[in-house]
Amino acid sequence: MNRVLILGSGPDAPQAANWDLSRFDAVVAINNAWRALPNWTHHIHPDDFPPERRPQDVQSDQHVITSADYVPAQNVYGGFVYAGGTMAFTAAYWALHALRPSQMCFYGCDMVYPKAEQTHFYGTGTADPLRDDPTLKSLPAKARRLQYFAAHQACEMFNLSGSESVLPYPRADVRAISAPVDPVMFDIERVKVARKMEEDAGYYVPSGMYWTELARFSQDVLDKIDAAWLRAFDPA
């Protein structure tokens, strides 16, 4: 069993510090999440993440993951436009490629931002998935796409959060994540349709800097691709 925890900056993130982390082979902390859990194994951040907010005391058994690492990994799975240009998905695709987990668990990555409540464990932050970005119009569709690629690598997905979440993965308690789950159900023919639509659109940006090419992306085309991924998991 190779189990990876993807830790975001949701309000509940600090609770992970109370867990038995020996259950995980790797803990991938996104952006500010390292502050909630000092004994992370990997810290991943975008190039524009302020240097003063990055971990300053990196131990020999800890690793910092940058765009030099995650862009090539993301490209293996079709690139940022189809995967969704936010770090929760970027971290997950990088982990799929680099760590090859058999189980991937998410915590603090619900990507639900009530206006009247605290949005991050450190207070109110800028909700990256809510920015005006054509790749993030349907977070559930991007989550399903990720789930397909994980299943293709025999990787089970779990959501350890007890809160409202855009992640549709089976819910689990951290103390029971080794329990067997039902196989992921999706229609492989509909998956083939979604992937063919991506191929036909040609929205592949090898550099990862897709925002420099927004003019050539049709929101209508991306919406149809998102809908195709959702139908692959729920024909209704």
Side-chain angles (χ1 to χ4, degrees):
M1 183 68 67
N2 179 8
R3 186 178 295 128
V4 172
L5 172 64
I6 306 293
L7 183 67
S9 296
D12 296 336
Q15 294 185 23
N18 300 319
W19 295 351
D20 175 9
L21 293 178
S22 67
R23 296 174 179 272
F24 301 99
D25 297 279
V27 176
V28 182
I30 303 170
N31 294 345
N32 291 290
W34 67 272
R35 295 161 50 190
L37 190 63
N39 48 339
W40 47 271
T41 62
H42 299 77
H43 178 250
I44 188 168
H45 64 81
D47 293 341
D48 60 357
F49 190 64
E52 65 274 12
R53 288 161 57 187
R54 303 173 189 177
Q56 304 301 310
D57 185 17
V58 178
Q59 303 301 308
S60 60
D61 58 348
Q62 295 178 316
H63 310 276
V64 176
I65 308 304
T66 69
S67 60
D69 306 294
Y70 63 70
V71 169
Q74 187 89 11
N75 286 343
V76 170
Y77 301 96
F80 288 82
V81 175
Y82 302 132
T86 193
M87 288 304 295
F89 296 134
T90 296
Y93 278 107
W94 172 82
L96 274 181
H97 184 257
L99 304 179
R100 310 299 291 189
S102 50
Q103 290 186 337
M104 185 181 296
C105 303
F106 292 82
Y107 194 64
C109 300
D110 293 317
M111 293 182 277
V112 175
Y113 306 98
K115 292 183 178 180
E117 299 179 20
Q118 182 174 330
T119 59
H120 299 70
F121 73 88
Y122 51 85
T124 300
T126 301
D128 181 69
L130 296 187
R131 72 186 190 279
D132 186 17
D133 186 313
T135 77
L136 298 173
K137 298 302 182 183
S138 176
L139 296 175
K142 304 305 186 188
R144 287 302 196 188
R145 183 184 190 274
L146 171 63
Q147 189 174 21
Y148 161 73
F149 281 100
H152 189 65
Q153 291 184 198
C155 175
E156 295 179 311
M157 308 286 268
F158 292 95
N159 186 353
L160 304 185
S161 168
S163 304
E164 181 184 358
S165 179
V166 302
L167 300 180
Y169 313 137
R171 301 279 186 150
D173 185 281
V174 67
R175 295 164 296 183
I177 50 178
S178 60
V181 298
D182 293 333
V184 177
M185 300 301 293
F186 54 82
D187 186 322
I188 190 60
E189 294 304 318
R190 291 177 183 267
V191 166
K192 290 178 181 178
V193 169
R195 298 201 67 187
K196 182 64 163 57
M197 292 171 68
E198 292 180 350
E199 180 182 347
D200 290 346
Y203 295 165
Y204 175 61
V205 184
S207 69
M209 296 186 289
Y210 65 91
W211 55 89
T212 66
E213 303 185 24
L214 293 180
R216 73 181 182 93
F217 306 147
S218 164
Q219 188 64 64
D220 182 59
V221 169
L222 291 174
D223 289 347
K224 289 178 179 177
I225 292 172
D226 283 342
W229 279 109
L230 292 174
R231 281 196 301 272
F233 283 81
D234 183 5

